[in-house]
Amino acid sequence: MRRLVAVVPARAWNSARRRVALAGMVGLLALFSDRNAGAIRPFITDDARVVGKHTLQLETWVQVDRAVPQHWVLPAFGPTDWMELTIGAVHGVADQGMASAYSIAGPVLQTKVLVLPAKENGPPGLAFVAGALTPGGVGALRPVDVTPFVYMAATEALLPGEQVLIHANLGVTRNTLLAGWHPSLTAGLGTQIRAFGGLHGVAEVFWNDAYAGNTGAASQAGARYILGDHVQIDATMGSGFGRDTARPTWFSAGLRLVGSPLW
């Protein structure tokens, strides 16, 4: 008895594949929709907002300077409408003595709790953030020890449609330049101003980076484009100032995706 084999014509098979691909694209856009894309990484100064209940977020950016080209990946999830949990890692090529080698570090762990939501032309929003860089990974990017950090974030929304956002951070991290557990100040002040359509100008000045240790005083500026309600693209350039060990000039380009509630 011969086995019956179903033969699908090439044209029908290609049409079916196109329909599956289209359905996948529609599903993906439905997943990352109907959320307001706020202003965070690669901005160092954090905002006083959380992603939302049962909602996923992905922040990823590339940062390049003369010492360490690196790539950060930070997925986040909102278990409630007032809490956001983030876990992530960084990898890149870092100088190690006389040569350069691949390095990876993580995870970075962070919890953000929304204390007071921002109101347009009203009281600023407030959030409390706590986290740590853990000494996992290999190479020069790997921290020597656990580096915890805590800070408060405030966001002021001005003018109709939040045309101007002002963010401020103040907190404490571990001083990575000294042995032991000496505290070090971390602070930032930044703004986002809508130019036209989805294009915004961004600028900030900050002291130390909770994700990178004692980097000293630095500033950066650039542009942010908010594509609809679910995709945000950033491009910035920054440089350190104020001391001999100032952070080298860097360029960053980032992408943020925010999804709809999963249930």
Side-chain angles (χ1 to χ4, degrees):
M1 179 177 174
R2 290 186 302 175
R3 186 172 53 186
L4 297 178
V5 179
V7 179
V8 180
R11 182 178 301 175
W13 172 247
N14 291 335
S15 177
R17 285 195 300 178
R18 285 195 296 269
R19 287 195 295 269
V20 171
L22 180 60
M25 291 175 64
V26 171
L28 184 62
L29 289 175
L31 176 63
F32 292 104
S33 63
D34 298 326
R35 301 295 304 174
N36 181 30
I40 21 185
R41 293 280 174 167
F43 222 44
I44 306 303
T45 308
D46 203 354
D47 63 355
R49 293 177 174 178
V50 292
V51 64
K53 186 176 181 179
H54 300 160
T55 301
L56 288 172
Q57 170 183 280
L58 174 64
E59 291 180 292
T60 181
W61 69 95
V62 175
Q63 179 181 300
V64 179
D65 60 39
R66 66 173 181 265
V68 186
Q70 53 191 273
H71 175 215
W72 288 80
V73 180
L74 290 175
F77 176 70
T80 70
D81 56 5
W82 50 268
M83 178 181 288
E84 177 181 296
L85 304 176
T86 300
I87 181 172
V90 57
H91 68 109
V93 178
D95 291 335
Q96 292 181 302
M98 300 298 292
S100 297
Y102 177 76
S103 178
I104 185 169
V108 178
L109 305 172
Q110 178 178 290
T111 300
K112 182 191 289 189
V113 175
L114 182 63
V115 178
L116 183 68
K119 294 185 178 180
E120 186 177 294
N121 296 316
L126 296 174
F128 176 79
V129 182
L133 286 74
T134 62
V138 295
L141 291 175
R142 176 182 176 269
V144 176
D145 207 339
V146 176
T147 305
F149 56 85
V150 293
Y151 61 86
M152 291 295 297
T155 292
E156 181 70 52
L158 302 175
L159 302 181
E162 299 186 348
Q163 296 179 47
V164 177
L165 293 173
I166 300 173
H167 309 294
N169 292 175
L170 182 62
V172 176
T173 184
R174 181 182 179 183
N175 191 327
T176 55
L177 301 179
L178 300 175
W181 290 83
H182 300 280
S184 182
L185 177 71
T186 177
L189 180 64
T191 185
Q192 173 180 304
I193 302 174
R194 181 182 301 168
F196 57 88
L199 182 63
H200 299 71
V202 294
E204 68 172 338
V205 60
F206 60 92
W207 175 262
N208 294 332
D209 180 353
Y211 285 11
N214 294 78
T215 57
S219 62
Q220 71 171 326
R224 170 172 292 126
Y225 192 84
I226 298 176
L227 182 62
D229 295 327
H230 54 278
V231 179
Q232 174 179 299
I233 303 170
D234 295 89
T236 64
M237 179 173 288
S239 183
F241 62 89
R243 67 182 188 185
D244 293 338
T245 56
R247 185 171 178 171
T249 299
W250 75 90
F251 170 79
S252 70
L255 172 67
R256 183 185 183 211
L257 301 175
V258 183
S260 297
L262 297 177
W263 68 88

